[in-house]
Amino acid sequence: MLFSTEPKTSLSELFDREVEIERFRSGLNERLVLVLGIRRVGKSSLVLSVLNSLGIDYVFIDVRKLYDNVSRKVPTERIYNELKSSLSRLSFWERIKGVINEIDVSLGPIRFRLGSSRIRDGIAKILEAVNSAGRRVVLVFDEAQYLRYSTTGLRPLLAYAYDYLRNITLVLTGSEVGLLHDFLGGLDDPSSELYGRYYFVIELKPFNRERSIEFLRRGGSGSWTLTWMIG
Ligand SMILES: Nc1ncnc2c1ncn2[C@@H]1O[C@H](COP(=O)(O)OP(=O)(O)OP(=O)(O)O)[C@@H](O)[C@H]1O
Ligand SMILES: [Mg+2]
């Protein structure tokens, strides 16, 4: 169904985007891929549809969902929990679950009382365990600009994964301003942990008028859709 409000999860549901699909596929051979675009342009749909079509292992964390409106933060513990619970989808989960459970137990049940940096260490250990399974895994932080609200800086963790965890490919989605300038700004900043790392960019633009009309023709009708697709 072309006109659902949820992100698309398969290529058969995705309208157009052949060029971006190809670029994203080849970008997955790199260490760090950024999928940039304005809201509702189709970032999550592209990422999910391509990853599902390839049948590779991936973890998809929607960081916006973890944002706490009261504290205006993304608690590191939420990232930890989300990561841990999404690992059970991995094809080699049975092989790593013992190690993951040990890491979890070592942090203890009163984890919320621990300092954020202890939990961040827990995240690093989980990623190390995933990496050492010897299978390639794509780790997606959807709307990654929200990581700038995390209660502990996650840039050092991403830099660590980039440099040492060679079986993990990082994919970050977000708006160009939010992601590149606010969160990753460090890629061009010599004082940042991520300085100088190469990143592969896929930029999604809104469809032009012609493609938008074609989209409507194939999917049904609805003027609201035409509005955002033309952008
Ligand atoms: N190429 C496409 N073909 C069909 N539907 C699409 C396409 N791209 C986006 N959509 C639809 O548009 C809406 C927004 O898509 P999606 O959630 O993937 O965008 P996004 O850029 O991740 O948005 P957000 O900023 O809200 O996270 C969804 O309803 C999705 O199904
Ligand atoms: Mg999205």
Side-chain angles (χ1 to χ4, degrees), residues 7 40 42-45 60 62 64 142-143 173:
R40 311 301 287 163
K43 301 176 294 295
S44 307
S45 298
F60 187 93
D62 181 350
R64 188 166 52 197
D142 197 33
E143 298 301 327
T173 85

Side-chain angles (χ1 to χ4, degrees), residues 34-165:
L34 307 185
V35 179
L36 304 178
I38 57 169
R39 290 214 60 181
R40 311 301 287 163
V41 78
K43 301 176 294 295
S44 307
S45 298
L46 178 82
V47 169
L48 287 168
S49 302
V50 171
L51 290 175
N52 287 332
S53 77
L54 294 173
I56 53 179
D57 281 301
Y58 70 88
V59 169
F60 187 93
I61 297 180
D62 181 350
V63 189
R64 188 166 52 197
K65 208 177 74 185
L66 307 180
Y67 180 76
D68 176 43
N69 283 316
V70 178
S71 64
R72 299 188 177 179
K73 294 273 177 213
V74 174
T76 311
E77 197 200 348
R78 286 194 185 175
I79 300 173
Y80 176 86
N81 287 336
E82 188 71 13
L83 174 65
K84 197 175 49 122
S85 62
S86 49
L87 292 178
S88 58
R89 288 182 50 249
L90 297 179
S91 65
F92 53 92
W93 166 241
E94 286 300 320
R95 271 167 44 202
I96 57 166
K97 78 173 179 197
V99 185
I100 304 292
N101 288 340
E102 270 171 37
I103 295 165
D104 198 37
V105 169
S106 74
L107 285 180
I110 48 163
R111 204 175 297 136
F112 60 90
R113 290 203 200 142
L114 294 173
S116 283
S117 61
R118 283 276 314 275
I119 302 170
R120 193 180 63 194
D121 291 349
I123 297 176
K125 284 192 183 131
I126 287 186
L127 296 182
E128 282 164 3
V130 169
N131 183 66
S132 56
R135 297 279 294 270
R136 198 160 75 87
V137 177
V138 180
L139 175 59
V140 185
F141 286 107
D142 197 33
E143 298 301 327
Q145 67 262 30
Y146 278 78
L147 288 174
R148 72 176 183 267
Y149 302 116
S150 74
T151 45
T152 174
L154 284 188
R155 281 201 309 220
L157 190 65
L158 295 184
Y160 172 68
Y162 184 110
D163 291 340
Y164 297 106
L165 307 180

Side-chain angles (χ1 to χ4, degrees), residues 15 24 50 54 104 198-199:
F15 171 77
F24 184 53
V50 171
L54 294 173
D104 198 37
Y198 171 75
Y199 55 97

Side-chain angles (χ1 to χ4, degrees), residues 8-32:
K8 300 290 182 280
T9 54
S10 86
L11 289 182
S12 61
E13 297 175 299
L14 210 60
F15 171 77
D16 199 87
R17 300 299 190 203
E18 284 81 11
V19 173
E20 291 87 351
I21 290 168
E22 230 14 81
R23 258 186 83 70
F24 184 53
R25 278 198 188 120
S26 56
L28 290 173
N29 295 316
E30 305 292 343
R31 307 285 312 119
L32 173 62

